[in-house]
Amino acid sequence: MKITEFLKHNYRHFNAAALIDAAEGYKSHLDNGGKMMITLAGAMSTAELGISLAEMIRQDKVQIITCTGANLEEDVFNLVAHDYYERIPNYRELTPAQEQDLVERHMNRVTDTCIPEMEAMRRIENVILEEWEKADQAGEAYFPHEFFYKILLSGKLEQYYQIDPKDSWLLEAAKKNLPIIVPGWEDSTLGNMFAGHVISGDIKNVHTVKTGIQYMIYLADWYTNTATDESTIGFFQIGGGIAGDFPICVVPMLHQDLQRENVPLWGYFCQISDSTTSYGSYSGAVPNEKITWGKLGMETPKYIIESDATIVAPLVFAIVLGQ
């Protein structure tokens, strides 16, 4: 039985039914000529969402991605150091002494998965530092994702690949030169490394890596040139936080701050979230709240799936991909 057939037979109520509705809405949006943004919060790359997301990119089911700095880099960490990762199923039972042992072995834990500092983080640092310094010395500046595109497409990392490269979503994005927005990149391991190299003097110009404001300008241009009444942009949000909050605001910015007319609202909205709605959390806000901020319209198809994105997102993607 195909995945889609299984899901449609069994997923009939509550969050299960919302999953089906959201996936069918995603398909309809694309079938009607729309385009889709996917946003990645949390630790989706360490959860190896690339296995399904890379295929979505290959089949043109996503036209732009917004992600945290962590998701940008952690897909590449997994690409080059997967064999050195450690999984700890009993992570809830770890004592402080056991956690201390992990840090002394340079194993940085994300829930049940430990990322190896030397094989992942430092290996990437050595390669990307060359690109940072080269750009800095030439007086050039690039976005964080553009630096990653450079090192991935250069082939410098191929000798280190430890997973099937078709399961790296960032590598697939690089091949297509997919637009990527990375708000708050400074809040990432490589962002910290870049700051360190500026402080130490290896990088002279802190603006060698472009900033979040420049990302918003880039997104505003992309949205303006891409969205039409006949081809609106959908918004598929995985998790909460800045990965979703930042890009969705481009529409009210274009309307309210730039006073532009005839800019379409987002044409589809879905969020996979386990955030509690009632505590003033934007991440947990029901989609209708976004109407009051000029992001969605009354008629915009809206879905919320209150569940674990590591479970839900691959299933939605499977339906969209016709698997």
Side-chain angles (χ1 to χ4, degrees):
M1 181 181 289
K2 292 177 61 176
I3 296 172
T4 298
E5 292 174 356
F6 173 86
L7 292 174
K8 288 189 175 181
H9 182 69
N10 290 279
Y11 281 35
R12 302 189 181 197
H13 303 281
F14 317 137
N15 277 299
L19 184 157
I20 302 296
D21 293 343
E24 290 297 327
Y26 193 131
K27 289 176 61 179
S28 295
H29 179 74
L30 295 183
D31 290 344
N32 291 329
K35 295 178 172 58
M36 189 66 72
M37 171 187 281
I38 291 179
T39 75
L40 305 175
M44 292 299 103
S45 289
T46 293
E48 299 190 72
L49 188 65
I51 294 170
S52 55
L53 180 56
E55 188 63 24
M56 292 282 284
I57 295 170
R58 274 190 292 273
Q59 294 196 26
D60 296 319
K61 304 300 185 184
V62 52
Q63 283 67 48
I64 184 170
I65 289 175
T66 297
C67 69
T68 59
N71 275 303
L72 186 76
E73 65 194 14
E74 287 177 15
D75 182 76
V76 184
F77 293 166
N78 181 61
L79 176 64
V80 303
H82 182 270
D83 294 349
Y84 295 95
Y85 278 57
E86 292 182 18
R87 183 166 178 265
I88 304 177
N90 65 327
Y91 67 92
R92 292 180 179 86
E93 302 167 12
L94 294 179
T95 65
Q98 290 171 314
E99 304 277 23
Q100 181 65 27
D101 176 67
L102 289 174
V103 74
E104 289 175 0
R105 293 196 295 115
H106 301 279
M107 299 299 291
N108 302 121
R109 184 169 68 81
V110 181
T111 310
D112 70 346
T113 303
C114 294
I115 303 175
E117 177 187 338
M118 303 311 295
E119 292 81 6
M121 301 169 185
R122 299 304 168 187
R123 180 172 288 169
I124 298 302
E125 179 186 20
N126 292 335
V127 176
I128 206 166
L129 177 59
E130 295 179 10
E131 293 295 337
W132 288 341
E133 291 178 332
K134 180 180 176 181
D136 188 57
Q137 292 162 11
E140 299 171 348
Y142 299 96
F143 286 116
H145 78 278
E146 292 178 317
F147 279 109
F148 270 108
Y149 281 5
K150 286 175 182 291
I151 64 173
L152 286 169
L153 296 177
S154 73
K156 292 179 180 179
L157 294 175
E158 287 183 7
Q159 60 182 311
Y160 301 118
Y161 287 0
Q162 295 184 355
I163 64 169
D164 189 331
K166 73 178 180 61
D167 292 336
S168 165
W169 72 262
L170 192 60
L171 180 57
E172 290 300 322
K175 292 176 181 178
K176 285 182 174 286
N177 195 29
L178 199 75
I180 296 183
I181 309 298
V182 191
W185 173 77
E186 298 82 0
D187 179 26
S188 68
T189 298
L190 285 179
N192 293 163
M193 291 176 180
F194 181 77
H197 286 292
V198 173
I199 292 169
S200 65
D202 300 323
I203 306 295
K204 307 302 181 185
N205 183 0
V206 69
H207 296 296
T208 295
V209 177
K210 292 183 178 180
T211 68
I213 295 299
Q214 289 165 295
Y215 260 130
M216 180 57 81
I217 296 169
Y218 172 75
L219 176 57
D221 288 341
W222 182 89
Y223 196 97
T224 300
N225 293 328
T226 306
T228 66
D229 290 333
E230 293 75 30
S231 180
T232 59
I233 313 299
F235 198 94
F236 190 84
Q237 181 175 343
I238 299 176
I242 196 171
D245 301 355
F246 182 92
I248 203 169
C249 289
V250 71
V251 171
M253 184 199 76
L254 290 169
H255 285 153
Q256 300 167 18
D257 300 321
L258 289 171
Q259 296 292 300
R260 292 185 185 176
E261 299 179 355
N262 302 318
V263 177
L265 298 174
W266 295 97
Y268 162 101
F269 178 83
C270 174
Q271 181 177 4
I272 305 171
S273 175
D274 60 1
S275 179
T276 303
T277 301
S278 60
Y279 298 151
S281 158
Y282 179 76
S283 297
V286 296
N288 277 356
E289 184 175 299
K290 293 170 176 57
I291 295 174
T292 73
W293 291 87
K295 300 165 185 174
L296 305 178
M298 290 188 297
E299 306 302 322
T300 306
K302 308 173 190 69
Y303 310 92
I304 185 164
I305 311 168
E306 295 179 305
S307 187
D308 183 335
T310 61
I311 298 170
V312 169
L315 297 178
V316 172
F317 293 166
I319 296 174
V320 173
L321 292 166
Q323 296 175 344

